Amino acid sequence: MKVTEDIRYIGVNDHQVDLFEGQFEVPLGMAYNSYVILDEKTAVMDTVDQNFGDEWMENLKAALGGRKPDYLVIQHMEPDHSANIVRFLSAYPDTTVVGNAKTFAMMEQFYSLPEDMKRQTVANGGTLELGKHTLTFVFAPMVHWPEVMVTYDSADKVLFSADAFGKFGANDVEDPEGWACEARRYYFGIVGKYGAQAQTLLKKAAGLDIQVICPLHGPVLSENLGYYLALYATWSSYRPETEGVFIAYTSVYGHTKAAALELAEMLREKGCPKVSVADLARDDIYECVEDGFRYSRMVLATTTYNAEIFPAMREFISHLTERGYQNRFVAFIENGTWAPTAAKCMKAMFEKSKNMTFAENTVTIKSALNGESRSALEALAEELCR
Ligand code: FEO
């Protein structure tokens, strides 16, 4: 597939993966992207996952059309992209592998490299001349590993963006929800903690004339780039994307769930622009994480459990706080039959989150909703719509 006159897509689609990176469900599969730049010299941009070496090598051979690859550029050492380096070198031992000092240190850790491997170590801002195309390497540490670099091709105005602007889902199936949903789940699940570093990368990108973004996952982006850049600017700055309320609950016998659903109904009746409800024990946890970051307000409802909180709620809050959760409005609903303490425990978990506002109204349910706790729920609904 042609990306531009001189750039070919040689990636693969994975519909066998059960959990991407050992934890993310990917019902639409996953794409591992790789590209070839054909100029006086040829450059291959990254490899693919270990299970797709045969297919990728075939794609590469076809794209090269009998030529030899001069360079293999490694932008990211995570094995979903680097797993075929050794295999590539056994077929093309004369190719020079291009990376930075951290890239090569990780490469030695992961793989048994040929002793005579040709390597070119580049600095931040370093360039590689292919002929008409000059590649400039821009380090993007922690988006998503410390060795990551992105690559700008000034001839075709292409940014090879590594994991940035990637999404879950293979490229040979249409995503019924469009780009943003699975890109948001990918961003917050994988890169979310590193908002500051993603912001730094966006600032560097703002100085470049970019017509095409070639990420390592998901589709090549060539139209309406402002849309994708604006979403990344929102996500990486921890600003809410959608005005509305996300209600996340856990429930043992259904009473806490009933309160969550009643609150959602109250909010809808009051005209709240968007209300989303999730069962933390049953819904995809990373869908919940993305919604926690997406909405301007969040309500957490859980039972008191072992004088603490229900495990799925603890796990969820940890997912948020370890990813730098901040700048949000959060309310609590607790349920306890003899000693409800969940609200206090939940609030304490946000201790390190910056710029948080907590609702004045905390709802305490003793076993099941009654007149008193229902009134408290009404008061919370009022406050959330203020
Ligand atoms: Fe797609 Fe961080 O690897």
Side-chain angles (χ1 to χ4, degrees):
M1 182 190 104
K2 272 189 178 183
V3 176
T4 67
E5 199 51 38
D6 298 333
I7 300 175
R8 302 285 183 279
Y9 177 85
I10 57 163
V12 297
N13 293 301
D14 184 354
H15 290 285
Q16 275 98 56
V17 60
D18 61 340
L19 292 174
F20 176 67
E21 290 188 358
Q23 58 169 333
F24 299 99
E25 289 189 12
V26 283
L28 298 176
M30 200 66 201
Y32 313 111
N33 297 342
S34 170
Y35 307 88
V36 177
I37 306 168
L38 301 167
D39 200 342
E40 286 164 35
K41 302 273 189 189
T42 58
V44 180
M45 305 300 293
D46 298 288
T47 84
V48 298
D49 181 83
Q50 61 175 347
N51 295 325
F52 295 86
D54 289 346
E55 187 182 339
W56 176 69
M57 289 292 280
E58 281 303 312
N59 292 350
L60 171 61
K61 202 170 144 192
L64 287 168
R67 297 181 66 186
K68 290 273 188 286
D70 295 293
Y71 299 102
L72 172 64
V73 177
I74 299 299
Q75 301 184 104
H76 183 15
M77 271 304 298
E78 197 162 13
D80 51 333
H81 311 294
S82 70
N84 283 287
I85 293 173
V86 172
R87 174 157 188 185
F88 171 96
L89 289 171
S90 66
Y92 302 111
D94 294 331
T95 301
T96 299
V97 180
V98 179
N100 56 57
K102 287 186 177 140
T103 319
F104 287 113
M106 287 186 185
M107 212 180 289
E108 304 277 359
Q109 288 175 195
F110 272 112
Y111 308 115
S112 295
L113 301 168
E115 277 180 17
D116 58 351
M117 182 179 92
K118 293 181 186 167
R119 60 178 82 189
Q120 184 166 330
T121 305
V122 296
N124 188 19
T127 57
L128 181 68
E129 302 288 344
L130 301 178
K132 193 172 86 180
H133 297 257
T134 301
L135 303 184
T136 303
F137 303 106
V138 178
F139 289 9
M142 302 321 294
V143 188
H144 135 238
W145 278 15
E147 87 299 359
V148 170
M149 56 187 196
V150 301
T151 306
Y152 181 64
D153 169 21
S154 53
D156 287 353
K157 305 190 189 323
V158 173
L159 179 71
F160 296 93
S161 61
D163 275 342
F165 301 99
K167 75 183 277 293
F168 295 125
N171 287 336
D172 59 353
V173 288
E174 196 178 330
D175 189 330
E177 295 181 293
W179 183 84
C181 189
E182 285 293 68
R184 189 189 298 107
R185 188 166 71 98
Y186 176 92
Y187 175 84
F188 284 111
I190 291 176
V191 192
K193 180 178 171 61
Y194 303 107
Q197 290 85 344
Q199 285 270 302
T200 303
L201 175 60
L202 288 175
K203 283 190 188 108
K204 289 177 184 171
L208 302 169
D209 178 7
I210 299 167
Q211 306 283 324
V212 183
I213 297 175
C214 289
L216 286 175
H217 302 288
V220 170
L221 307 172
S222 56
E223 284 172 15
N224 199 14
L225 295 190
Y227 167 75
Y228 307 103
L229 289 161
L231 281 177
Y232 254 65
T234 300
W235 298 341
S236 58
S237 60
Y238 300 97
R239 280 181 282 127
E241 178 188 341
T242 303
E243 272 306 314
V245 181
F246 175 51
I247 304 171
Y249 72 85
T250 68
S251 195
V252 184
Y253 292 106
H255 300 101
T256 314
K257 175 181 180 178
L261 296 181
E262 251 186 69
L263 177 66
E265 212 33 58
M266 289 172 185
L267 290 168
R268 287 186 191 109
E269 279 170 13
K270 288 178 192 303
C272 177
K274 190 122 171 58
V275 183
S276 176
V277 184
D279 177 345
L280 295 175
R282 291 177 178 81
D283 293 336
D284 180 276
I285 192 68
Y286 289 105
E287 289 278 356
C288 299
V289 169
E290 73 163 281
D291 280 347
F293 281 99
R294 175 179 181 173
Y295 289 95
S296 53
R297 298 182 167 212
M298 180 170 71
V299 179
L300 300 175
T302 197
T303 43
T304 304
Y305 191 80
N306 288 335
E308 253 271 352
I309 55 177
F310 208 65
M313 179 60 80
R314 189 187 308 113
E315 186 192 345
F316 175 61
I317 298 174
S318 296
H319 275 301
L320 296 179
T321 55
E322 74 192 28
R323 287 171 170 77
Y325 195 77
Q326 54 188 277
N327 304 331
R328 292 296 191 283
F329 182 100
V330 177
F332 304 105
I333 299 172
E334 62 181 358
N335 194 348
T337 295
W338 62 94
T341 53
K344 198 171 134 216
C345 294
M346 287 190 281
K347 191 173 176 184
M349 288 188 74
F350 290 98
E351 202 177 38
K352 290 187 181 152
S353 289
K354 290 184 277 184
N355 195 25
M356 297 292 290
T357 307
F358 298 106
E360 290 161 17
N361 291 280
T362 291
V363 178
T364 298
I365 301 164
K366 289 280 195 80
S367 307
L369 275 175
N370 61 13
E372 196 183 335
S373 49
R374 194 163 272 118
S375 299
L377 210 56
E378 253 319 324
L380 175 59
E382 278 293 333
E383 186 181 357
L384 286 163
C385 290
R386 235 180 256 159

